[in-house]
Amino acid sequence: MTHTPGPWHIDWNGGMAPRIIGVYAPGLTRGIADVLFHNGSDDPQVHDNARLIAAAPEMLAALENIAEWVGGMCSCRADDEYHNRLFAVIAKAKTSP
């Protein structure tokens, strides 16, 4: 599985409609995601969701770097909660449903 390379950015004007925040990648004419407003355009949760989606490629890359570092530095047990959560979230991002 490969995702559209980042960095992704946000179009606060929504592009197509005033009730949408668009998430876009450089060089693409179509969006990565549209985040819809349900409670008016001043709903801070909608803006937070759009920022989180836009940060996804950079967060995944950072987690992969941390996982590589942890793998080389740590003799973590297979039942270590943080180790398992780290690798589980990376797998969630990279595995097809």
Side-chain angles (χ1 to χ4, degrees):
M1 192 260 346
T2 60
H3 63 272
T4 303
W8 296 352
H9 66 277
I10 297 167
D11 175 5
W12 294 108
N13 296 325
M16 298 184 336
R19 298 179 53 82
I20 297 173
I21 297 174
V23 180
Y24 298 90
L28 291 182
T29 56
R30 59 178 172 72
I32 298 296
D34 291 327
V35 183
L36 306 177
F37 288 104
H38 296 288
N39 299 321
S41 61
D42 60 345
D43 184 350
Q45 189 174 41
V46 173
H47 292 267
D48 292 345
N49 291 341
R51 280 191 291 274
L52 182 61
I53 293 167
E58 293 162 278
M59 288 192 298
L60 178 59
L63 289 172
E64 289 175 325
N65 288 342
I66 292 168
E68 185 177 326
W69 178 77
V70 165
M73 299 275 299
C74 176
S75 57
C76 298
R77 301 184 332 247
D79 64 348
D80 181 80
E81 175 188 358
Y82 297 111
H83 178 271
N84 292 341
R85 286 174 58 192
L86 172 64
F87 286 92
V89 76
I90 292 170
K92 183 178 180 179
K94 297 180 84 169
T95 304
S96 297

